[in-house]
mmCIF file of all heavy atoms in Angstrom:
data_model
loop_
_atom_site.group_PDB
_atom_site.id
_atom_site.type_symbol
_atom_site.label_atom_id
_atom_site.label_comp_id
_atom_site.label_asym_id
_atom_site.label_seq_id
_atom_site.Cartn_x
_atom_site.Cartn_y
_atom_site.Cartn_z
ATOM 1 N N LEU A 303 8.242 0.801 -17.582
ATOM 2 C CA LEU A 303 7.119 -0.058 -18.180
ATOM 3 C C LEU A 303 7.280 -1.442 -17.475
ATOM 4 O O LEU A 303 8.151 -2.229 -17.732
ATOM 5 C CB LEU A 303 7.273 -0.186 -19.679
ATOM 6 C CG LEU A 303 6.290 -1.185 -20.309
ATOM 7 C CD1 LEU A 303 4.839 -0.757 -20.064
ATOM 8 C CD2 LEU A 303 6.593 -1.457 -21.767
ATOM 9 N N LEU A 304 6.300 -1.722 -16.605
ATOM 10 C CA LEU A 304 6.272 -2.953 -15.853
ATOM 11 C C LEU A 304 5.385 -3.931 -16.660
ATOM 12 O O LEU A 304 4.207 -4.022 -16.398
ATOM 13 C CB LEU A 304 5.721 -2.729 -14.403
ATOM 14 C CG LEU A 304 6.564 -1.638 -13.641
ATOM 15 C CD1 LEU A 304 5.988 -1.510 -12.332
ATOM 16 C CD2 LEU A 304 8.023 -1.957 -13.575
ATOM 17 N N ASN A 305 6.028 -4.636 -17.521
ATOM 18 C CA ASN A 305 5.379 -5.387 -18.593
ATOM 19 C C ASN A 305 5.407 -6.849 -18.462
ATOM 20 O O ASN A 305 4.634 -7.613 -19.073
ATOM 21 C CB ASN A 305 5.846 -4.900 -19.945
ATOM 22 C CG ASN A 305 5.536 -5.800 -21.063
ATOM 23 O OD1 ASN A 305 4.348 -5.787 -21.586
ATOM 24 N ND2 ASN A 305 6.485 -6.606 -21.488
ATOM 25 N N ALA A 306 6.426 -7.393 -17.793
ATOM 26 C CA ALA A 306 6.647 -8.880 -17.728
ATOM 27 C C ALA A 306 5.445 -9.559 -17.300
ATOM 28 O O ALA A 306 4.707 -9.161 -16.364
ATOM 29 C CB ALA A 306 7.843 -9.134 -16.822
ATOM 30 N N GLY A 307 5.084 -10.684 -18.051
ATOM 31 C CA GLY A 307 3.940 -11.449 -17.692
ATOM 32 C C GLY A 307 3.984 -12.834 -18.259
ATOM 33 O O GLY A 307 4.707 -13.027 -19.283
ATOM 34 N N VAL A 308 3.174 -13.755 -17.695
ATOM 35 C CA VAL A 308 3.091 -15.098 -18.199
ATOM 36 C C VAL A 308 1.667 -15.598 -18.220
ATOM 37 O O VAL A 308 0.828 -14.971 -17.520
ATOM 38 C CB VAL A 308 3.935 -16.110 -17.374
ATOM 39 C CG1 VAL A 308 5.411 -15.668 -17.396
ATOM 40 C CG2 VAL A 308 3.447 -16.044 -15.885
ATOM 41 N N ALA A 309 1.355 -16.566 -18.972
ATOM 42 C CA ALA A 309 0.016 -17.224 -18.937
ATOM 43 C C ALA A 309 -0.060 -18.078 -17.668
ATOM 44 O O ALA A 309 0.971 -18.440 -17.057
ATOM 45 C CB ALA A 309 -0.128 -18.123 -20.156
ATOM 46 N N THR A 310 -1.225 -18.311 -17.187
ATOM 47 C CA THR A 310 -1.477 -19.032 -15.952
ATOM 48 C C THR A 310 -1.253 -20.527 -16.098
ATOM 49 O O THR A 310 -0.421 -21.136 -15.368
ATOM 50 C CB THR A 310 -2.965 -18.832 -15.407
ATOM 51 O OG1 THR A 310 -3.167 -17.379 -15.343
ATOM 52 C CG2 THR A 310 -3.137 -19.397 -14.104
ATOM 53 N N GLY A 311 -1.979 -21.128 -17.045
ATOM 54 C CA GLY A 311 -1.714 -22.547 -17.231
ATOM 55 C C GLY A 311 -2.507 -23.550 -16.356
ATOM 56 O O GLY A 311 -2.293 -24.720 -16.369
ATOM 57 N N CYS A 312 -3.355 -22.952 -15.506
ATOM 58 C CA CYS A 312 -4.234 -23.838 -14.699
ATOM 59 C C CYS A 312 -5.401 -22.995 -14.172
ATOM 60 O O CYS A 312 -5.456 -21.760 -14.343
ATOM 61 C CB CYS A 312 -3.448 -24.317 -13.462
ATOM 62 S SG CYS A 312 -2.988 -23.091 -12.172
ATOM 63 N N GLY A 313 -6.416 -23.759 -13.647
ATOM 64 C CA GLY A 313 -7.567 -23.115 -13.090
ATOM 65 C C GLY A 313 -7.701 -23.341 -11.614
ATOM 66 O O GLY A 313 -6.613 -23.612 -10.928
ATOM 67 N N VAL A 314 -8.810 -23.308 -11.018
ATOM 68 C CA VAL A 314 -8.946 -23.400 -9.566
ATOM 69 C C VAL A 314 -9.615 -24.749 -9.125
ATOM 70 O O VAL A 314 -9.846 -24.961 -7.970
ATOM 71 C CB VAL A 314 -9.725 -22.205 -8.946
ATOM 72 C CG1 VAL A 314 -9.094 -20.929 -9.181
ATOM 73 C CG2 VAL A 314 -11.190 -22.218 -9.585
ATOM 74 N N GLY A 315 -9.930 -25.635 -10.159
ATOM 75 C CA GLY A 315 -10.526 -26.887 -9.835
ATOM 76 C C GLY A 315 -9.481 -27.971 -9.774
ATOM 77 O O GLY A 315 -8.452 -27.809 -9.214
ATOM 78 N N GLU A 316 -9.804 -29.067 -10.427
ATOM 79 C CA GLU A 316 -8.919 -30.255 -10.352
ATOM 80 C C GLU A 316 -7.601 -29.956 -11.114
ATOM 81 O O GLU A 316 -6.567 -30.643 -10.808
ATOM 82 C CB GLU A 316 -9.563 -31.494 -11.033
ATOM 83 C CG GLU A 316 -10.776 -32.007 -10.205
ATOM 84 C CD GLU A 316 -11.477 -33.198 -10.852
ATOM 85 O OE1 GLU A 316 -10.954 -33.614 -11.940
ATOM 86 O OE2 GLU A 316 -12.402 -33.666 -10.268
ATOM 87 N N ASP A 317 -7.592 -29.013 -11.998
ATOM 88 C CA ASP A 317 -6.367 -28.668 -12.709
ATOM 89 C C ASP A 317 -5.516 -27.652 -11.967
ATOM 90 O O ASP A 317 -4.469 -27.210 -12.526
ATOM 91 C CB ASP A 317 -6.684 -28.123 -14.108
ATOM 92 C CG ASP A 317 -7.434 -26.864 -14.089
ATOM 93 O OD1 ASP A 317 -8.102 -26.606 -13.066
ATOM 94 O OD2 ASP A 317 -7.431 -26.175 -15.164
ATOM 95 N N PHE A 318 -5.850 -27.256 -10.782
ATOM 96 C CA PHE A 318 -5.127 -26.313 -10.057
ATOM 97 C C PHE A 318 -3.676 -26.838 -9.783
ATOM 98 O O PHE A 318 -3.479 -27.971 -9.389
ATOM 99 C CB PHE A 318 -5.722 -26.006 -8.737
ATOM 100 C CG PHE A 318 -4.994 -24.950 -7.906
ATOM 101 C CD1 PHE A 318 -4.966 -23.652 -8.217
ATOM 102 C CD2 PHE A 318 -4.266 -25.323 -6.721
ATOM 103 C CE1 PHE A 318 -4.258 -22.699 -7.474
ATOM 104 C CE2 PHE A 318 -3.539 -24.443 -5.995
ATOM 105 C CZ PHE A 318 -3.581 -23.147 -6.339
ATOM 106 N N ASP A 319 -2.656 -25.940 -10.019
ATOM 107 C CA ASP A 319 -1.334 -26.306 -9.816
ATOM 108 C C ASP A 319 -0.643 -25.137 -8.977
ATOM 109 O O ASP A 319 -0.564 -24.001 -9.537
ATOM 110 C CB ASP A 319 -0.679 -26.506 -11.228
ATOM 111 C CG ASP A 319 0.805 -26.913 -11.034
ATOM 112 O OD1 ASP A 319 1.589 -26.187 -10.486
ATOM 113 O OD2 ASP A 319 1.127 -27.972 -11.609
ATOM 114 N N LEU A 320 -0.249 -25.466 -7.824
ATOM 115 C CA LEU A 320 0.228 -24.405 -6.948
ATOM 116 C C LEU A 320 1.527 -23.620 -7.539
ATOM 117 O O LEU A 320 1.578 -22.447 -7.542
ATOM 118 C CB LEU A 320 0.605 -24.937 -5.581
ATOM 119 C CG LEU A 320 1.150 -23.901 -4.585
ATOM 120 C CD1 LEU A 320 0.082 -22.817 -4.256
ATOM 121 C CD2 LEU A 320 1.438 -24.667 -3.247
ATOM 122 N N ALA A 321 2.358 -24.444 -8.206
ATOM 123 C CA ALA A 321 3.595 -23.839 -8.721
ATOM 124 C C ALA A 321 3.197 -22.884 -9.880
ATOM 125 O O ALA A 321 3.822 -21.803 -9.958
ATOM 126 C CB ALA A 321 4.579 -24.954 -9.224
ATOM 127 N N ARG A 322 2.313 -23.320 -10.704
ATOM 128 C CA ARG A 322 1.946 -22.496 -11.881
ATOM 129 C C ARG A 322 1.158 -21.178 -11.331
ATOM 130 O O ARG A 322 1.382 -20.039 -11.907
ATOM 131 C CB ARG A 322 1.050 -23.200 -12.802
ATOM 132 C CG ARG A 322 1.806 -24.284 -13.641
ATOM 133 C CD ARG A 322 0.909 -24.916 -14.683
ATOM 134 N NE ARG A 322 1.732 -25.867 -15.480
ATOM 135 C CZ ARG A 322 1.284 -26.376 -16.546
ATOM 136 N NH1 ARG A 322 0.107 -26.043 -17.098
ATOM 137 N NH2 ARG A 322 1.966 -27.358 -17.229
ATOM 138 N N TYR A 323 0.353 -21.382 -10.337
ATOM 139 C CA TYR A 323 -0.370 -20.248 -9.722
ATOM 140 C C TYR A 323 0.632 -19.194 -9.186
ATOM 141 O O TYR A 323 0.486 -18.037 -9.499
ATOM 142 C CB TYR A 323 -1.308 -20.751 -8.616
ATOM 143 C CG TYR A 323 -1.871 -19.688 -7.726
ATOM 144 C CD1 TYR A 323 -3.006 -18.954 -8.248
ATOM 145 C CD2 TYR A 323 -1.371 -19.420 -6.469
ATOM 146 C CE1 TYR A 323 -3.479 -17.923 -7.410
ATOM 147 C CE2 TYR A 323 -1.856 -18.428 -5.719
ATOM 148 C CZ TYR A 323 -2.939 -17.672 -6.146
ATOM 149 O OH TYR A 323 -3.477 -16.695 -5.364
ATOM 150 N N ARG A 324 1.555 -19.677 -8.413
ATOM 151 C CA ARG A 324 2.550 -18.744 -7.862
ATOM 152 C C ARG A 324 3.418 -18.091 -8.925
ATOM 153 O O ARG A 324 3.786 -16.946 -8.753
ATOM 154 C CB ARG A 324 3.383 -19.471 -6.804
ATOM 155 C CG ARG A 324 2.566 -19.789 -5.536
ATOM 156 C CD ARG A 324 3.436 -20.487 -4.512
ATOM 157 N NE ARG A 324 2.703 -20.560 -3.186
ATOM 158 C CZ ARG A 324 3.017 -21.359 -2.214
ATOM 159 N NH1 ARG A 324 3.996 -22.200 -2.399
ATOM 160 N NH2 ARG A 324 2.329 -21.258 -1.022
ATOM 161 N N ARG A 325 3.702 -18.915 -10.005
ATOM 162 C CA ARG A 325 4.535 -18.295 -11.091
ATOM 163 C C ARG A 325 3.712 -17.135 -11.683
ATOM 164 O O ARG A 325 4.298 -16.086 -11.997
ATOM 165 C CB ARG A 325 4.868 -19.366 -12.031
ATOM 166 C CG ARG A 325 5.653 -18.905 -13.335
ATOM 167 C CD ARG A 325 6.039 -20.074 -14.166
ATOM 168 N NE ARG A 325 6.758 -19.548 -15.408
ATOM 169 C CZ ARG A 325 6.194 -19.349 -16.605
ATOM 170 N NH1 ARG A 325 4.918 -19.577 -16.715
ATOM 171 N NH2 ARG A 325 6.893 -19.007 -17.575
ATOM 172 N N ALA A 326 2.468 -17.403 -12.011
ATOM 173 C CA ALA A 326 1.635 -16.394 -12.689
ATOM 174 C C ALA A 326 1.421 -15.131 -11.814
ATOM 175 O O ALA A 326 1.581 -14.040 -12.296
ATOM 176 C CB ALA A 326 0.352 -17.003 -13.104
ATOM 177 N N MET A 327 1.145 -15.385 -10.505
ATOM 178 C CA MET A 327 0.949 -14.215 -9.630
ATOM 179 C C MET A 327 2.220 -13.507 -9.431
ATOM 180 O O MET A 327 2.291 -12.247 -9.258
ATOM 181 C CB MET A 327 0.347 -14.742 -8.337
ATOM 182 C CG MET A 327 -1.074 -15.229 -8.341
ATOM 183 S SD MET A 327 -2.172 -13.828 -8.878
ATOM 184 C CE MET A 327 -3.795 -14.712 -8.962
ATOM 185 N N GLY A 328 3.346 -14.237 -9.347
ATOM 186 C CA GLY A 328 4.686 -13.624 -9.133
ATOM 187 C C GLY A 328 5.023 -12.754 -10.285
ATOM 188 O O GLY A 328 5.585 -11.674 -10.060
ATOM 189 N N ALA A 329 4.803 -13.171 -11.539
ATOM 190 C CA ALA A 329 5.148 -12.299 -12.646
ATOM 191 C C ALA A 329 4.149 -11.181 -12.893
ATOM 192 O O ALA A 329 4.528 -10.005 -13.019
ATOM 193 C CB ALA A 329 5.274 -13.229 -13.902
ATOM 194 N N ASN A 330 2.854 -11.581 -12.893
ATOM 195 C CA ASN A 330 1.860 -10.633 -13.383
ATOM 196 C C ASN A 330 1.419 -9.619 -12.316
ATOM 197 O O ASN A 330 1.041 -8.519 -12.718
ATOM 198 C CB ASN A 330 0.576 -11.437 -13.785
ATOM 199 C CG ASN A 330 0.837 -12.307 -14.967
ATOM 200 O OD1 ASN A 330 1.932 -12.349 -15.562
ATOM 201 N ND2 ASN A 330 -0.100 -13.163 -15.328
ATOM 202 N N LEU A 331 1.476 -9.975 -11.011
ATOM 203 C CA LEU A 331 1.034 -9.031 -10.009
ATOM 204 C C LEU A 331 2.297 -8.626 -9.149
ATOM 205 O O LEU A 331 2.548 -7.398 -9.055
ATOM 206 C CB LEU A 331 -0.043 -9.653 -9.120
ATOM 207 C CG LEU A 331 -0.502 -8.800 -7.971
ATOM 208 C CD1 LEU A 331 -0.962 -7.490 -8.375
ATOM 209 C CD2 LEU A 331 -1.587 -9.548 -7.146
ATOM 210 N N ASP A 332 2.981 -9.556 -8.577
ATOM 211 C CA ASP A 332 4.069 -9.198 -7.708
ATOM 212 C C ASP A 332 5.168 -8.350 -8.586
ATOM 213 O O ASP A 332 5.777 -7.431 -8.022
ATOM 214 C CB ASP A 332 4.823 -10.458 -7.210
ATOM 215 C CG ASP A 332 4.038 -11.251 -6.234
ATOM 216 O OD1 ASP A 332 2.936 -10.660 -5.814
ATOM 217 O OD2 ASP A 332 4.357 -12.336 -5.843
ATOM 218 N N GLY A 333 5.287 -8.735 -9.813
ATOM 219 C CA GLY A 333 6.311 -7.950 -10.664
ATOM 220 C C GLY A 333 5.916 -6.468 -10.746
ATOM 221 O O GLY A 333 6.811 -5.641 -10.820
ATOM 222 N N VAL A 334 4.573 -6.199 -10.765
ATOM 223 C CA VAL A 334 4.176 -4.766 -10.828
ATOM 224 C C VAL A 334 4.398 -4.144 -9.367
ATOM 225 O O VAL A 334 4.895 -3.020 -9.289
ATOM 226 C CB VAL A 334 2.686 -4.675 -11.257
ATOM 227 C CG1 VAL A 334 2.175 -3.238 -11.168
ATOM 228 C CG2 VAL A 334 2.582 -5.243 -12.694
ATOM 229 N N VAL A 335 3.996 -4.799 -8.377
ATOM 230 C CA VAL A 335 4.099 -4.285 -6.997
ATOM 231 C C VAL A 335 5.581 -4.118 -6.717
ATOM 232 O O VAL A 335 5.983 -3.019 -6.235
ATOM 233 C CB VAL A 335 3.426 -5.232 -6.014
ATOM 234 C CG1 VAL A 335 3.710 -4.771 -4.617
ATOM 235 C CG2 VAL A 335 1.935 -5.297 -6.272
ATOM 236 N N PHE A 336 6.421 -5.156 -6.885
ATOM 237 C CA PHE A 336 7.788 -5.050 -6.531
ATOM 238 C C PHE A 336 8.537 -4.040 -7.375
ATOM 239 O O PHE A 336 9.378 -3.302 -6.970
ATOM 240 C CB PHE A 336 8.492 -6.397 -6.650
ATOM 241 C CG PHE A 336 7.933 -7.469 -5.689
ATOM 242 C CD1 PHE A 336 8.202 -8.865 -6.016
ATOM 243 C CD2 PHE A 336 7.238 -7.175 -4.579
ATOM 244 C CE1 PHE A 336 7.642 -9.816 -5.159
ATOM 245 C CE2 PHE A 336 6.743 -8.139 -3.764
ATOM 246 C CZ PHE A 336 6.962 -9.464 -3.992
ATOM 247 N N GLY A 337 8.155 -4.025 -8.691
ATOM 248 C CA GLY A 337 8.791 -3.027 -9.573
ATOM 249 C C GLY A 337 8.452 -1.645 -9.198
ATOM 250 O O GLY A 337 9.365 -0.774 -9.206
ATOM 251 N N THR A 338 7.202 -1.394 -8.809
ATOM 252 C CA THR A 338 6.834 -0.060 -8.378
ATOM 253 C C THR A 338 7.541 0.303 -7.095
ATOM 254 O O THR A 338 8.131 1.452 -6.942
ATOM 255 C CB THR A 338 5.278 0.029 -8.124
ATOM 256 O OG1 THR A 338 4.615 -0.324 -9.392
ATOM 257 C CG2 THR A 338 4.833 1.325 -7.658
ATOM 258 N N HIS A 339 7.603 -0.604 -6.102
ATOM 259 C CA HIS A 339 8.222 -0.320 -4.881
ATOM 260 C C HIS A 339 9.765 0.019 -5.188
ATOM 261 O O HIS A 339 10.355 1.004 -4.478
ATOM 262 C CB HIS A 339 8.145 -1.493 -3.960
ATOM 263 C CG HIS A 339 8.901 -1.425 -2.690
ATOM 264 N ND1 HIS A 339 8.644 -0.533 -1.738
ATOM 265 C CD2 HIS A 339 10.103 -2.032 -2.327
ATOM 266 C CE1 HIS A 339 9.513 -0.589 -0.764
ATOM 267 N NE2 HIS A 339 10.416 -1.544 -1.063
ATOM 268 N N ALA A 340 10.335 -0.692 -6.021
ATOM 269 C CA ALA A 340 11.826 -0.560 -6.286
ATOM 270 C C ALA A 340 12.071 0.750 -7.035
ATOM 271 O O ALA A 340 13.102 1.475 -6.740
ATOM 272 C CB ALA A 340 12.388 -1.726 -7.125
ATOM 273 N N VAL A 341 11.281 1.190 -7.946
ATOM 274 C CA VAL A 341 11.563 2.315 -8.800
ATOM 275 C C VAL A 341 11.131 3.669 -8.240
ATOM 276 O O VAL A 341 11.646 4.784 -8.615
ATOM 277 C CB VAL A 341 10.950 2.149 -10.238
ATOM 278 C CG1 VAL A 341 9.512 2.461 -10.258
ATOM 279 C CG2 VAL A 341 11.754 2.964 -11.289
ATOM 280 N N LEU A 342 10.187 3.615 -7.247
ATOM 281 C CA LEU A 342 9.669 4.864 -6.729
ATOM 282 C C LEU A 342 10.792 5.818 -6.213
ATOM 283 O O LEU A 342 10.731 7.012 -6.528
ATOM 284 C CB LEU A 342 8.652 4.627 -5.650
ATOM 285 C CG LEU A 342 7.218 4.462 -6.170
ATOM 286 C CD1 LEU A 342 6.211 4.090 -4.975
ATOM 287 C CD2 LEU A 342 6.729 5.764 -6.857
ATOM 288 N N PRO A 343 11.687 5.344 -5.408
ATOM 289 C CA PRO A 343 12.734 6.255 -4.920
ATOM 290 C C PRO A 343 13.546 6.937 -6.047
ATOM 291 O O PRO A 343 13.923 8.101 -5.969
ATOM 292 C CB PRO A 343 13.625 5.322 -4.053
ATOM 293 C CG PRO A 343 12.750 4.252 -3.586
ATOM 294 C CD PRO A 343 11.833 4.059 -4.791
ATOM 295 N N ALA A 344 13.818 6.195 -7.099
ATOM 296 C CA ALA A 344 14.578 6.714 -8.221
ATOM 297 C C ALA A 344 13.741 7.743 -8.942
ATOM 298 O O ALA A 344 14.273 8.779 -9.394
ATOM 299 C CB ALA A 344 14.913 5.577 -9.193
ATOM 300 N N LEU A 345 12.433 7.513 -9.106
ATOM 301 C CA LEU A 345 11.583 8.545 -9.757
ATOM 302 C C LEU A 345 11.468 9.810 -8.908
ATOM 303 O O LEU A 345 11.555 10.925 -9.415
ATOM 304 C CB LEU A 345 10.228 7.944 -9.968
ATOM 305 C CG LEU A 345 10.126 6.788 -10.941
ATOM 306 C CD1 LEU A 345 8.657 6.326 -11.121
ATOM 307 C CD2 LEU A 345 10.699 7.113 -12.368
ATOM 308 N N ARG A 346 11.372 9.608 -7.602
ATOM 309 C CA ARG A 346 11.255 10.784 -6.724
ATOM 310 C C ARG A 346 12.547 11.569 -6.733
ATOM 311 O O ARG A 346 12.507 12.824 -6.646
ATOM 312 C CB ARG A 346 10.964 10.333 -5.281
ATOM 313 C CG ARG A 346 9.533 9.788 -5.112
ATOM 314 C CD ARG A 346 9.290 9.148 -3.789
ATOM 315 N NE ARG A 346 7.965 8.776 -3.413
ATOM 316 C CZ ARG A 346 7.598 7.681 -2.866
ATOM 317 N NH1 ARG A 346 8.540 6.896 -2.320
ATOM 318 N NH2 ARG A 346 6.321 7.384 -2.627
#
């Protein structure tokens, strides 16, 4: 269950924050991609 996630905390306008953006993408998307990549050999 690839469930880890965080809120974004910023938008794409004047409130854009690169660190928060990368943190959110890292947990919410990369966490699923990296988790899938890591677990696939074990499932196979």
Side-chain angles (χ1 to χ4, degrees):
L303 173 62
L304 306 179
N305 165 76
V308 298
T310 307
C312 71
V314 298
E316 292 181 358
D317 63 338
F318 180 73
D319 184 300
L320 182 59
R322 291 188 178 191
Y323 168 78
R324 287 180 169 163
R325 177 175 180 265
M327 291 297 180
N330 299 353
L331 177 56
D332 292 348
V334 176
V335 174
F336 298 159
T338 299
H339 174 70
V341 81
L342 272 177
L345 297 180
R346 288 172 175 143

